[in-house]
């Protein structure tokens, strides 16, 4: 912002400097003392250059007397450069260049032309051509460069936008493929688990087996609900908002009940967290309970919630289990994903073993 604010100041300083140099050029091209009309031309030339950016054609017309009458060329050459750099038609610039060249040609000598001296005449014609064509060519060059730079910037913006669209399309395809795989494979198998658990619950005469089958069926149904939500999210556009309610702190008691583990909750449930923070706490507790069921089945779990003024911490601790671990597939990325989720929210997740053989997982997040 400061750089953009400094540009008008720099342009004004350049115009003031050119106006002073233009007036000084008029001063230097006449013998002292200057006549009043010569002083007027000097003042007119200098003041006209101050308006060259807003009215380039008018500026050239007002500075032309300095070249035609006195022979001062700096101011009209600067004005011609500004005209060529602006959006004026090229034939107008060409006419102005010819006029400036002729003015330079006829005022190059106090005694007029020496048409008998061919070398002198050619020298003066070449000089006049350079005076007229040089500023015009330079102005056209700068204008062309600016136009090309603008076109290149526009091309870069279009390319970047197209690149973003391609990346978004690729992500949409990947999300759709993943959703299809989850729906066709995982959903089918979990549905079979729920059906088999329901059948076992109906035909079994063992109360413990029926209770276990009921828990399995409920967990399978809950997993199917979660899976359907994930598939729905994956199939939705990436820019869409949340399609259905996400897990919140209020659903923690339901999660603890469905875990089929002896769980004790100590402390009040965390409050004043963002929706993303509530999901992070819920997913951390869910992942910790899943790990307990896999690696320490039947172990007692203690969930401790500690709420401070500026932060919230939840610890999930389990004791050592006397039962062997359950052989279930694992990607090994659960805790790592929780850490990444917490870091995005400005918090931390730690997981470490306890001396007695248990394990503890702790998440700490800032409050709103």
């Amino acid at each position: 912002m400061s750089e953009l604010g400094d540009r008008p100041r720099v342009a004004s300083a350049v115009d003031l400097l050119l106006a002073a140099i233009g007036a000084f050029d008029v001063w230097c091209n006449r013998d002292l003392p200057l006549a009043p009309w010569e002083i007027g031309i000097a003042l007119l030339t200098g003041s006209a250059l101050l308006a060259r950016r807003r009215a380039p054609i008018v500026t050239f017309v007002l500075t032309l007397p300095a070249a035609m009458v006195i022979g001062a060329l700096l101011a009209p050459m600067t004005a011609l450069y500004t005209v060529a750099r602006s959006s004026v038609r090229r034939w107008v610039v060409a006419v102005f260049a010819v006029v400036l060249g002729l003015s330079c040609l006829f005022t190059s000598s106090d005694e007029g032309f020496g048409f008998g001296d061919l070398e002198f005449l050619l020298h003066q014609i070449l000089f006049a051509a350079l005076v007229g064509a040089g500023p015009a060519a330079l102005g056209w060059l700068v204008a062309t460069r600016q136009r090309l730079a603008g076109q290149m910037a526009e091309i870069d913006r279009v390319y970047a936008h197209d690149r973003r669209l391609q990346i978004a399309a690729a992500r949409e395809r990947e999300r759709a493929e993943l959703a299809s795989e989850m729906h066709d494979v995982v959903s089918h198998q979990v549905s079979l688990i729920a059906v088999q658990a329901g059948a076992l619950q109906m035909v079994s005469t063992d109360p413990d087996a029926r209770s276990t089958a009921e828990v399995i069926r409920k967990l399978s149904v809950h997993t199917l609900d979660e899976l359907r939500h994930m598939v729905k999210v994956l199939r939705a556009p990436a820019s869409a908002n949340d399609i259905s309610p996400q897990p919140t702190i209020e659903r923690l008691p339901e999660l603890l009940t469905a875990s089929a583990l002896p769980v004790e909750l100590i402390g009040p449930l965390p409050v004043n967290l963002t929706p993303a923070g509530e999901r992070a706490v819920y997913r951390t507790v869910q992942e910790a309970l899943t790990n307990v069921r896999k690696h320490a089945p039947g172990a007692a779990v203690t969930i401790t919630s500690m709420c401070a003024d500026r932060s919230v911490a939840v610890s999930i601790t389990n004791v050592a289990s006397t039962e062997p671990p359950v052989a279930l597939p694992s990607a090994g990325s659960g805790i790592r994903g929780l850490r990444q989720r917490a870091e995005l929210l400005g918090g931390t997740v730690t997981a470490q073993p306890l001396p007695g053989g248990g394990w503890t997982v702790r998440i700490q997040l800032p409050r709103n």
Side-chain angles (χ1 to χ4, degrees), residues 336-349 364-365:
R336 183 168 63 251
L338 294 175
R339 287 197 181 101
Q340 294 174 353
R341 185 193 293 261
E343 289 174 358
L344 291 175
L345 299 175
T348 58
V349 168
Q364 183 172 353
L365 296 175

Side-chain angles (χ1 to χ4, degrees), residues 149-345:
Q151 293 175 354
M152 290 298 298
E154 181 64 24
I155 291 174
D156 290 341
R157 286 193 294 270
V158 172
Y159 176 79
H161 179 68
D162 184 65
R163 182 64 176 169
R164 288 194 295 270
L165 291 179
Q166 292 179 359
I167 294 175
R171 288 177 177 173
E172 293 293 339
R173 289 193 298 269
E174 293 175 357
R175 288 160 63 98
E177 292 176 1
L178 181 59
S180 179
E181 289 293 328
M182 292 177 62
H183 180 270
D184 295 341
V185 179
V186 182
S187 178
H188 175 69
Q189 294 181 358
V190 175
S191 298
L192 290 178
I193 294 174
V195 171
Q196 295 294 331
L200 178 62
Q201 182 182 0
M202 295 295 295
V203 302
S204 177
T205 57
D206 186 358
D208 293 337
R210 296 183 64 179
S211 176
T212 302
E214 181 182 4
V215 171
I216 294 175
R217 185 184 63 82
K218 289 182 178 180
L219 289 175
S220 300
V221 172
H222 181 70
T223 301
L224 281 174
D225 291 337
E226 291 278 348
L227 184 61
R228 291 191 186 99
H229 170 73
M230 294 177 64
V231 170
K232 195 175 182 181
V233 170
L234 288 173
R235 285 177 173 172
S239 58
N241 295 327
D242 290 341
I243 297 175
S244 62
Q246 293 286 319
T248 59
I249 295 297
E250 285 74 13
R251 293 184 58 183
L252 271 180
E254 178 185 349
L255 176 66
L256 302 183
T257 302
S259 66
L261 291 171
V263 180
E264 179 184 6
L265 178 62
I266 300 176
L269 295 177
V271 295
N272 295 333
L273 289 175
T274 62
E278 292 193 8
R279 288 196 296 270
V281 172
Y282 183 94
R283 295 304 184 191
T284 301
V285 175
Q286 186 181 47
E287 177 68 18
L289 294 178
T290 300
N291 289 337
V292 171
R293 287 195 298 268
K294 290 164 54 177
H295 305 293
V301 180
T302 302
I303 300 179
T304 306
S305 176
M306 295 167 286
C307 301
D309 293 338
R310 296 185 178 181
S311 64
V312 169
V314 177
S315 299
I316 306 95
T317 304
N318 67 276
V319 299
S321 175
T322 57
E323 301 180 18
V326 179
L328 293 176
S330 175
S333 59
I335 298 297
R336 183 168 63 251
L338 294 175
R339 287 197 181 101
Q340 294 174 353
R341 185 193 293 261
E343 289 174 358
L344 291 175
L345 299 175

Side-chain angles (χ1 to χ4, degrees), residues 32-47:
L32 297 178
L34 293 178
W37 62 272
E38 294 174 337
I39 297 177
I41 290 179
L43 295 176
L44 178 64
T45 299
S47 59

